[in-house]
């Protein structure tokens, strides 16, 4: 999976246990990013809807969530990947913009990204394989990039991994149906239907995903945009349509409250960390529209979970916080018996 700010990789075992404990068979992952949480839910057999504003997230969601592995012919997929891997490099937009004007990839890899991306459009546009091959290209490009994990800047000296040749692999797909949606959660949250469980992992501060992952946006859009600055960011990064309300300090709390309230789900789980503009008590209040509220806290240094209390809709608290620094929170709202069933056994949860 790609390097991604705020990725919930280490929380997957906990979120999976919560999901299984809830008995849910339908789920919504409203800020899906890499889709790794949506994938974990889908792997339990659930029908998952994954939504994000990012173009690359939609590609990931079409690959891992909407596609049914049983409906994809592995031989055809592998043959398409092999064909792309055999292509010779051809300098184009990526080579010029992201290898010469900036230094996100070494030119020999940039030329191959250009050739492969052109071939995906030429040979697979509109086909079921298109998102899978794009996912394969993004994963391969991420393995040979020269960044510290975000694309606002590149490393001055080439990163050691950037010397490796770009190699596409066929992504492992998951069996079952699902849905990929690209759009704004604040607009769409209430329109997506009814779910057993909804998971929300919004941005909580000023760091914009559109600019932090502009190279992935451009490789997916393949629109050769005008760019600016040392990192060659897309010119439309300056447009309001590419900005998220979750990156605006004053507007974000109300937007989050409205989005949580408009989700139609029996159980709502919200991820939260202590670098956020919203405080935990306010978030707990926002979640109380869905019933009782439970909070799990994870010390990100020690990766030991601790259940710190069940709260009724009025915010009456049971339990105490055992660690107060470097905490990641998982806030759970819904009927009290359901929360109890989900959290039993998580007192000693380990996040690795
Ligand atoms: C913290 S990340 C989610 C990480 C994800 N849970 C994972 O493990 O990969 C937040 C996501 O919210 C998306 N986002 C930002 N504003 C949004 C909005 N208004 N509607 C939907 N998604 C949005 C970003 O593109 C980003 O992928």
């Amino acid at each position: 999976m790609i390097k991604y700010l705020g990725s919930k990789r280490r929380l997957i075992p906990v979120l999976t246990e919560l999901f299984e404990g809830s008995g849910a068979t339908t789920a919504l992952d409203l800020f899906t990013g890499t889709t790794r949480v949506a994938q974990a839910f889908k792997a339990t057999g659930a029908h998952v809807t994954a939504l994000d504003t990012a173009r690359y997230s939609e590609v990931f969601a079409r690959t891992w969530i909407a596609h049914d592995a049983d409906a994809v012919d592995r031989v055809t997929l592998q043959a398409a990947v092999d064909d792309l891997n055999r292509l010779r490099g051809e300098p184009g937009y990526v080579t010029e913009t992201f290898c010469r004007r900036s230094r996100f990839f070494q030119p020999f890899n940039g030329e191959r990204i250009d050739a492969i991306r052109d071939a995906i459009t030429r040979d697979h546009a509109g086909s079921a394989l298109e998102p899978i091959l794009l996912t394969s290209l993004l994963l391969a490009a991420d393995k040979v990039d020269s960044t510290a994990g975000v694309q606002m800047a590149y490393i001055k000296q080439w990163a050691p991994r950037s010397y490796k040749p770009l190699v596409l692999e066929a992504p492992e797909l998951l069996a079952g149906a699902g849905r990929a949606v690209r759009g704004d959660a604040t607009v769409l949250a209430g329109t997506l239907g009814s779910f057993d469980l909804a998971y929300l992992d919004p941005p909580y501060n000023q760091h914009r995903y559109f600019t932090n992952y502009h190279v992935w946006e451009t490789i997916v859009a393949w629109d050769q945009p005008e760019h600016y600055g040392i990192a060659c960011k897309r010119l439309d990064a300056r447009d309001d349509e590419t900005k998220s309300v979750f990156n605006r300090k004053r507007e974000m709390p109300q937007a989050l409250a409205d989005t949580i309230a408009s989700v139609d789900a029996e159980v709502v789980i919200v991820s939260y960390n202590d670098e956020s503009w919203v405080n935990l008590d306010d978030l707990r209040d926002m979640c109380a529209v869905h019933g009782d509220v439970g909070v799990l806290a994870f010390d990100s240094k020690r990766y030991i979970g601790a259940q710190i209390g069940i709260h009724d809709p009025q915010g009456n608290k049971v339990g105490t916080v055992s660690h107060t620094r470097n905490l990641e929170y998982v806030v759970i709202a819904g009927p009290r018996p359901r929360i109890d069933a989900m959290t039993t056994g998580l007192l000693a949860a380990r996040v690795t």
Side-chain angles (χ1 to χ4, degrees):
M1 188 51 76
I2 58 162
K3 300 181 281 298
Y4 204 60
L5 213 62
S7 152
K8 293 299 169 291
R9 182 176 60 85
R10 292 190 309 197
L11 277 177
I12 292 297
V14 170
L15 293 171
T16 304
E17 193 167 336
L18 289 171
F19 190 78
E20 286 176 333
S22 77
T25 59
T26 57
L28 170 65
D29 181 8
L30 203 50
F31 300 84
T32 196
T34 60
T35 71
R36 59 174 87 236
V37 177
Q39 288 183 47
F41 294 167
K42 183 178 173 183
T44 71
H47 185 282
V48 182
T49 297
L51 177 142
D52 202 288
T53 42
R55 287 183 180 90
Y56 51 84
S57 283
E58 186 191 25
V59 163
F60 295 151
R62 289 178 66 199
T63 299
W64 281 303
I65 306 308
H67 257 302
D68 181 347
D70 297 337
V72 177
D73 180 43
R74 296 292 305 177
V75 176
T76 309
L77 171 59
Q78 191 57 55
V81 168
D82 292 344
D83 284 349
L84 294 175
N85 272 328
R86 273 194 291 269
L87 289 175
R88 292 170 67 93
E90 229 4 277
Y93 183 90
V94 169
T95 313
E96 177 57 26
T97 314
F98 298 134
C99 306
R100 297 197 178 121
R101 287 177 184 261
S102 57
R103 285 159 58 99
F104 288 101
F105 307 102
Q106 302 241 12
F108 70 93
N109 276 328
E111 291 174 7
R112 297 210 45 244
I113 295 172
D114 276 317
I116 291 169
R117 184 63 188 85
D118 276 339
I120 292 174
T121 295
R122 191 181 57 235
D123 302 335
H124 301 283
S127 77
L129 287 188
E130 185 184 25
I132 306 176
L133 296 173
L134 281 174
T135 292
S136 173
L137 175 58
L138 295 178
L139 296 183
D142 182 62
K143 282 192 182 150
V144 297
D145 77 344
S146 192
T147 74
V150 290
Q151 297 165 350
M152 295 292 277
Y154 45 88
I155 297 171
K156 293 272 176 301
Q157 304 295 323
W158 289 114
R161 66 172 169 272
S162 71
Y163 290 91
K164 292 193 215 151
L166 176 106
V167 180
L168 271 59
E169 290 171 24
E172 280 304 320
L173 304 177
L174 294 165
R179 185 158 56 134
V181 183
R182 179 168 170 231
D184 187 335
T186 62
V187 177
L188 296 178
T191 70
L192 299 165
S194 181
F195 302 91
D196 294 335
L197 185 147
Y199 174 67
L200 281 68
D201 184 21
Y204 279 103
N205 53 34
Q206 70 280 11
H207 301 300
R208 290 177 66 197
Y209 283 83
F210 192 83
T211 44
N212 271 320
Y213 298 102
H214 65 95
V215 176
W216 302 153
E217 288 282 344
T218 293
I219 290 177
V220 172
W222 211 227
D223 56 353
Q224 316 215 341
E226 296 289 311
H227 52 81
Y228 69 96
I230 230 162
C232 295
K233 284 178 284 186
R234 301 172 58 88
L235 206 54
D236 60 2
R238 292 177 167 154
D239 298 348
D240 277 350
E241 302 86 76
T242 66
K243 295 183 179 163
S244 172
V245 69
F246 294 95
N247 301 127
R248 295 195 195 107
K249 190 172 186 178
R250 268 185 301 158
E251 295 164 51
M252 182 273 188
Q254 191 57 52
L256 180 59
D258 293 345
T259 306
I260 290 173
S262 60
V263 163
D264 181 359
E266 191 189 12
V267 174
V268 172
I269 301 181
V270 184
S271 270
Y272 170 81
N273 67 57
D274 49 8
E275 288 167 23
S276 166
W277 286 330
V278 177
N279 72 45
L280 183 59
D281 284 337
D282 288 345
L283 182 60
R284 191 183 281 136
D285 289 346
M286 293 177 192
C287 290
V289 293
H290 291 284
D292 280 7
V293 180
V295 182
L296 297 171
F298 297 93
D299 183 311
S300 59
K301 271 237 169 83
R302 301 204 284 162
Y303 310 131
I304 293 174
Q307 187 173 338
I308 63 169
I310 302 290
H311 301 257
D312 63 22
Q314 287 72 45
N316 300 319
K317 187 164 89 174
V318 183
T320 52
V321 184
S322 54
H323 309 292
T324 50
R325 42 180 199 98
N326 300 317
L327 288 178
E328 275 203 59
Y329 296 94
V330 174
V331 181
I332 310 162
R336 176 64 179 271
R338 191 60 62 101
I339 297 179
D340 287 345
M342 291 167 70
T343 53
T344 305
L346 271 175
L347 276 170
R350 293 188 72 83
V351 188
T352 52

